[in-house]
Amino acid sequence: MMASFQKIVEGEQVVLIDFFAEWCGPCKMMKPILEDLKQQLGDQVKIIKIDVDKNPQLSAELNIQGVPTLMIYKQGKSQWRQSGVVSANDLKKIIQSLH
């Protein structure tokens, strides 16, 4: 999984990863926020959701301790990380600052 994860985050495009769990209430709040963000930014960002319960090894390697945890990558490097619900506006500002 780590190799395919690396492939996903390596490109030129900014990648936002949402580590979530089905049972997590705040994770459900992120869904419309991420949809809104995708509408606003289109191709400027690739959004990927990763279920921590289905990917325990990757979650452990990246030290994901709480959900939701959001990470932003550019060219294979982690640029930003935060746990908890983050607004579309805040995410948009961070992503645009990386362009």
Side-chain angles (χ1 to χ4, degrees), residues 26-65:
C27 297
K28 291 179 176 73
M29 293 166 63
M30 280 310 302
K31 191 175 191 284
I33 292 171
L34 295 176
E35 285 166 1
D36 181 26
L37 184 70
K38 186 66 185 163
Q39 267 187 325
Q40 290 183 46
L41 294 179
D43 291 342
Q44 287 181 50
V45 65
K46 183 183 210 170
I47 299 174
I48 295 172
K49 294 179 74 66
I50 296 179
D51 186 330
V52 293
D53 292 330
K54 291 180 183 154
N55 300 283
Q57 189 183 350
L58 179 65
S59 302
E61 284 180 41
L62 294 171
N63 201 23
I64 305 297
Q65 305 202 324

Side-chain angles (χ1 to χ4, degrees), residues 5 9 14-21 24 26-35 37 45-50 52 62-73 77-92 94-95 98:
F5 176 81
V9 298
V14 174
V15 181
L16 168 65
I17 300 162
D18 173 21
F19 289 92
F20 76 102
C24 157
C27 297
K28 291 179 176 73
M29 293 166 63
M30 280 310 302
K31 191 175 191 284
I33 292 171
L34 295 176
E35 285 166 1
L37 184 70
V45 65
K46 183 183 210 170
I47 299 174
I48 295 172
K49 294 179 74 66
I50 296 179
V52 293
L62 294 171
N63 201 23
I64 305 297
Q65 305 202 324
V67 284
T69 293
L70 300 164
M71 295 178 80
I72 295 176
Y73 279 82
K77 292 184 182 68
S78 174
Q79 302 288 333
W80 177 88
R81 172 183 183 144
Q82 188 171 316
S83 294
V85 175
V86 184
S87 76
N89 257 355
D90 288 348
L91 290 168
K92 184 178 172 184
I94 295 156
I95 291 163
L98 297 173

Side-chain angles (χ1 to χ4, degrees), residues 1-18:
M1 179 67 189
M2 201 63 193
S4 56
F5 176 81
Q6 209 46 51
K7 235 177 229 135
I8 291 167
V9 298
E10 255 167 18
E12 282 297 309
Q13 197 176 20
V14 174
V15 181
L16 168 65
I17 300 162
D18 173 21

